[in-house]
Amino acid sequence: MGLIHIDLFTTLDGVAQAPGGPEEDPADGFVFGGWQAPLIDEVVGDQIDSGMVGMDALLLGRRTYDIFASYWPHQDGKIAELFNRLPKYVASRQSQELEWEGSALLGTDTVASLRELREKHQNVHVIGSLDFVQTLFSERLFDQLNLWVYPILLGRGKKVFADGVVPTNLRLIEPVVASPNGAVMQRYALVEGTPAVGSMADIDQAEQTRK
């Protein structure tokens, strides 16, 4: 059974809107499009490349798909070659023709459609697609969350953890990697159950008992 990966670039305060460029997503008057570019360094580039190893399908929301479809078919290089070659599945309520070669609409039953993707592919990656990601969070329809966290605060913009988030357990599956410019790479796996609660007083009492 394959895995669904969510790959996101985010600021320290959780803003993930338009990391790639000023025209990517200026919705709601967002003026910081392209905030990621000044912070890219060799370590970030290496981590992005390593994160694509084994990727065999893309799963995108409609807005991200349209951005990618207008850009990547006209580019060269490893990422362009990979994205243009991979099958691309689009979560959208719209039925317009998908012009990017290898593209297909995801079925209306998201749970069933993702089950089919897991049976067909080993590593399906969701990149960006913040609105669709909220659905994946709310239904826990993902297996791995990969976050590149950058050391800036923007205060406004579309957030990674917005209306779709429900109480969820995650497990860090690799050591955290920090880049010279302060970006931090974190990879988490989804874990069953909901977060536990407790009392710091109980912990303090246990510490006193051990002394």
Side-chain angles (χ1 to χ4, degrees), residues 106-193:
L106 194 69
T108 55
D109 185 333
T110 302
V111 174
S113 296
L114 292 185
R115 185 182 304 115
E116 292 177 4
L117 291 188
R118 283 190 171 102
E119 292 173 352
K120 187 181 299 185
H121 302 287
Q122 290 301 306
N123 292 287
V124 180
H125 283 249
V126 182
I127 301 175
S129 308
L130 288 177
D131 291 340
F132 178 54
V133 162
Q134 301 312 307
T135 298
L136 300 181
F137 283 154
S138 67
E139 302 296 333
R140 300 182 189 177
L141 296 174
F142 68 99
D143 302 287
Q144 188 166 318
L145 174 61
N146 307 311
L147 287 178
W148 287 263
V149 182
Y150 290 80
I152 57 174
L153 305 173
L154 295 181
R156 58 175 299 182
K158 297 177 183 178
K159 299 295 184 74
V160 171
F161 305 111
D163 296 337
V165 175
V166 297
T168 301
N169 287 326
L170 300 172
R171 175 173 56 86
L172 189 68
I173 57 176
E174 292 182 5
V176 171
V177 176
S179 80
N181 285 341
V184 178
M185 175 61 206
Q186 306 166 50
R187 298 186 192 275
Y188 296 95
L190 180 67
V191 179
E192 291 185 0

